[in-house]
Amino acid sequence: MMRSMETVDNIKDDDIDISLLKDISLSYVKGNVMLPLRVQGDSLVAAVAGNRGVYALRDLARSRGLKPHPVQADEKTILDTINRIYSQASRVDEVMGDIKGEDLSMIATEFESPKDLLELTEEAPIIRLLNALLMEAVKEKASDIHIEPYEKGIDVRFRVDGILNKVLSPPKIIHDALISRIKIIAGLDIAEKRLPQDGRIKLLVGGKDIDIRVSIIPTALGERAVLRLLDRQAGVLSLEMLGLADETLNSLKRALSRQNGIILVTGPTGSGKTTTLYASLLRLNTEERNIITVEDPVEYQLSGIGQMQVNPRIGLTFATGLRSILRQDPDIMMVGEIRDLETAEIAVHASLTGHLVLSTLHTNDAPSAVARLVDMGIEPFLVASSLVCILAQRLIRVICPYCKEPYTPSRQELSYLSPHTPDVLYRGKGCDKCLGKGYLGRTGIYEFLDITSDIRAMIVERKDAEAIRAAAVKAGFKPLHENAIEKILRGITTVEEALRITQSINTLPEEGELYSSP
């Protein structure tokens, strides 16, 4: 626990030696709520808000041959200072430095009409700002860029390995200019500010072919943009690269060898469902098979496969697209998502008439997918007859291999891992490769529900998801959290990360028990 120490109410820029922060990542100081201030004699002075910050300071000071000297401050004060100081030192903010005073007024005026926008050169500050944001996002391997307007400013956040981090807070006056620039390169209507718009951008960034999906929606304080970055050169992963356990991988391969039926992949948005479907299609794609997909949107082009993108504005929905491709003599069909009764009915009909159908559902686990289909209005006997298997999944961060270190697990961690009692677990200490986070990349955790004859009988009897789960567990079904524990024991991920993703226990570890070190 924290001992009595000196406290400060605010932190001024003059209190901080910025040179200390050059080799310390933003995510590390924010994650530990700890900000190094200065070297005083043989001590490293830093503002901390809790035990995690004290521990992080201790390790950081030790790595520099100094003694830790913590100064207690309010968490909000520390985080606000971190955002302010790091934005001053960031590459993106170097561009922001050019957008001040008269430049801001000029940009705001220029962006009042489409004609002025088209006349802007590539040297315009707002263009260089957006370019810098895109380059930084690619460098950090971000999956999304969020641009969010507020009353007095804008927040720009990157989603890296599933976690959102604020990277910049530019002034509100450039908001319209920034959004308009995004609209221009995405081919959207810059004059329309009242309706949501979706677009696409193709760029070459740092030698990488990047496909960017753009979503812009109106809010009370201005338009909000989210840019989804897809690295087209990364290609589609194979099933063997998804992190499936051997038993689950073999079961899924057996299901994919079927001539007909429905294979469902479930999980929340951003859990990697589409990646799993693409990997499955990659395995199934041969000259002897006709494979057609209906997607929203088409994320990656797959050679040899017909891919249709839905467009609700002209009446091309999943249901109408699925009905149309049935007339294309398909062997295998992939539907991006079963969202409504009509789509579900066509998918079931297709599976019962000799087609293999792959699709996704938004449910928390595999057994809930059965109840979801019945709730949509599909008769239980049709669900039982058409379903082959259900794969539920989540994405979980992987320990950085460059700074991976062993440590002795705490009592709380052992309680989560019970009945396993490992002497050693692993975590990332934080390094330049992982930007101080201790994690680098993600893998999947899965639960596979095979629709056996017993499960089919329960579906026909309208048993609920819990009853189906209980019966499946008796037959050897392994829930998501068990797959997470397997990956912890193999040194792939951490208990802290498993707790964040699975939330399978109610009692969280005490403050300071689970933390990342530099």
Side-chain angles (χ1 to χ4, degrees):
M1 297 298 293
M2 291 179 60
R3 297 189 298 271
S4 177
M5 64 179 72
E6 176 187 352
T7 61
V8 292
D9 295 326
N10 58 68
I11 305 171
K12 300 176 182 177
D13 289 5
D14 292 340
D15 297 331
I16 303 168
D17 180 358
I18 293 183
S19 65
L20 288 173
L21 307 177
K22 287 182 179 178
D23 58 349
I24 305 174
S25 73
L26 171 64
S27 57
Y28 178 68
V29 291
K30 288 184 73 172
N32 291 294
V33 196
M34 182 277 296
L35 178 63
L37 302 177
R38 59 189 175 274
V39 174
Q40 189 172 297
D42 62 350
S43 299
L44 177 60
V45 182
V48 301
N51 285 336
R52 180 174 294 196
V54 173
Y55 299 142
L57 170 59
R58 178 196 62 194
D59 293 338
L60 182 62
R62 183 185 301 152
S63 70
R64 300 190 175 201
L66 299 170
K67 297 177 181 177
H69 183 145
V71 176
Q72 189 171 5
D74 178 74
E75 180 174 334
K76 185 177 186 302
T77 298
I78 295 176
L79 292 176
D80 287 347
T81 306
I82 288 172
N83 290 329
R84 184 176 74 248
I85 294 299
Y86 271 77
S87 67
Q88 290 172 4
S90 72
R91 261 191 339 118
V92 171
D93 209 59
E94 288 176 10
V95 179
M96 282 301 304
D98 294 335
I99 309 177
K100 293 180 180 176
E102 294 181 3
D103 286 342
L104 285 174
S105 300
M106 177 195 71
I107 293 168
T109 302
E110 286 180 347
F111 275 83
E112 285 175 0
S113 69
K115 182 178 179 180
D116 289 333
L117 288 173
L118 297 174
E119 292 173 357
L120 284 175
T121 69
E122 289 302 316
E123 293 303 312
I126 202 69
I127 295 176
R128 288 188 288 119
L129 171 62
L130 181 57
N131 290 346
L133 282 171
L134 291 171
M135 290 179 66
E136 195 73 13
V138 171
K139 177 185 173 184
E140 294 195 18
K141 296 182 173 62
S143 61
D144 302 86
I145 302 173
H146 290 237
I147 299 172
E148 305 157 346
Y150 296 101
E151 188 173 357
K152 296 182 180 179
I154 310 169
D155 278 353
V156 179
R157 299 193 289 171
F158 290 171
R159 187 181 294 279
V160 180
D161 289 338
I163 306 295
L164 277 171
N165 297 296
K166 188 193 294 186
V167 295
L168 190 65
S169 296
K172 182 68 176 284
I173 194 169
I174 74 161
H175 171 260
D176 288 347
L178 185 57
I179 295 296
S180 294
R181 175 60 186 167
I182 293 170
K183 285 182 179 180
I184 282 179
I185 58 178
L188 303 178
D189 183 358
I190 58 175
E192 180 56 75
K193 299 176 183 287
R194 302 163 302 171
L195 296 173
Q197 295 190 69
D198 295 318
R200 203 159 194 155
I201 304 169
K202 289 187 178 181
L203 292 177
L204 194 64
V205 181
K208 292 186 175 182
D209 186 9
I210 303 296
D211 199 0
I212 302 173
R213 288 186 355 225
V214 177
S215 171
I216 297 177
I217 63 170
T219 71
L221 297 173
E223 291 178 289
R224 187 182 193 277
V226 174
L227 285 66
R228 167 66 59 86
L229 281 66
L230 301 169
D231 185 354
R232 299 177 65 84
Q233 291 181 345
V236 178
L237 300 178
S238 66
L239 285 176
E240 288 76 13
M241 298 168 68
L242 298 181
L244 291 156
D246 290 343
E247 183 181 350
T248 303
L249 177 61
N250 292 332
S251 297
L252 181 57
K253 286 179 177 178
R254 282 195 297 272
L256 291 170
S257 67
R258 290 277 300 263
Q259 298 298 309
N260 64 293
I262 297 178
I263 296 174
L264 286 179
V265 181
T266 76
T269 301
S271 60
K273 299 187 298 297
T274 301
T275 299
T276 300
L277 287 182
Y278 278 178
S280 300
L281 291 178
L282 197 65
R283 178 177 177 80
L284 293 169
N285 190 16
T286 64
E287 288 186 4
E288 295 78 24
R289 293 188 176 110
N290 181 22
I291 304 175
I292 307 180
T293 73
V294 188
E295 305 173 53
D296 182 23
V298 174
E299 293 193 4
Y300 292 99
Q301 297 289 340
L302 301 175
S303 178
I305 294 176
Q307 295 172 270
M308 180 191 301
Q309 181 161 318
V310 303
N311 188 346
R313 285 178 294 183
I314 60 172
L316 180 54
T317 63
F318 279 121
T320 55
L322 191 54
R323 188 178 288 110
S324 297
I325 64 178
L326 276 170
R327 295 189 284 271
Q328 290 281 312
D329 185 33
D331 297 300
I332 298 164
M333 304 157 64
M334 191 268 271
V335 191
E337 183 185 344
I338 295 178
R339 294 178 178 172
D340 51 43
L341 175 60
E342 186 180 9
T343 306
E345 285 179 336
I346 300 169
V348 168
H349 171 74
S351 71
L352 295 175
T353 53
H355 304 87
L356 183 64
V357 180
L358 281 64
S359 191
T360 71
L361 270 181
H362 284 288
T363 62
N364 286 329
D365 55 27
S368 298
V370 175
R372 177 85 176 104
L373 288 174
V374 174
D375 289 343
M376 279 184 179
I378 303 295
E379 288 294 333
F381 74 91
L382 291 176
V383 174
S385 302
S386 58
L387 269 185
V388 174
C389 65
I390 305 167
L391 182 74
Q393 66 179 72
R394 298 287 190 281
L395 291 178
I396 195 164
R397 289 185 294 173
V398 173
I399 299 170
C400 174
Y402 299 99
C403 59
K404 186 175 180 178
E405 65 173 8
Y407 73 99
T408 302
S410 67
R411 176 173 51 84
Q412 286 82 4
E413 289 172 319
L414 290 174
S415 69
Y416 174 73
L417 298 172
S418 178
H420 305 283
T421 56
D423 295 326
V424 173
L425 292 180
Y426 294 88
R427 64 187 172 200
K429 141 172 121 157
C431 65
D432 292 339
K433 298 283 188 181
C434 62
L435 303 176
K437 297 174 184 175
Y439 299 97
L440 190 62
R442 290 189 289 178
T443 189
I445 55 172
Y446 305 89
E447 61 180 29
F448 183 88
L449 179 62
D450 190 14
I451 307 300
T452 62
S453 57
D454 290 341
I455 298 296
R456 285 195 176 89
M458 296 183 73
I459 295 172
V460 172
E461 294 171 7
R462 294 181 179 268
K463 298 291 185 180
D464 60 21
E466 286 305 313
I468 292 174
R469 171 178 285 274
V473 168
K474 287 183 179 179
F477 171 79
K478 292 184 177 179
L480 278 169
H481 76 272
E482 287 194 19
N483 190 214
I485 288 173
E486 289 174 5
K487 285 182 165 59
I488 292 167
L489 297 174
R490 289 167 56 195
I492 295 173
T493 192
T494 65
V495 175
E496 184 178 27
E497 178 68 1
L499 283 169
R500 185 180 71 85
I501 295 299
T502 63
Q503 298 178 349
S504 57
I505 59 174
N506 295 323
T507 306
L508 296 178
E510 296 175 1
E511 185 181 12
E513 288 290 349
L514 299 175
Y515 65 93
S516 60
S517 55

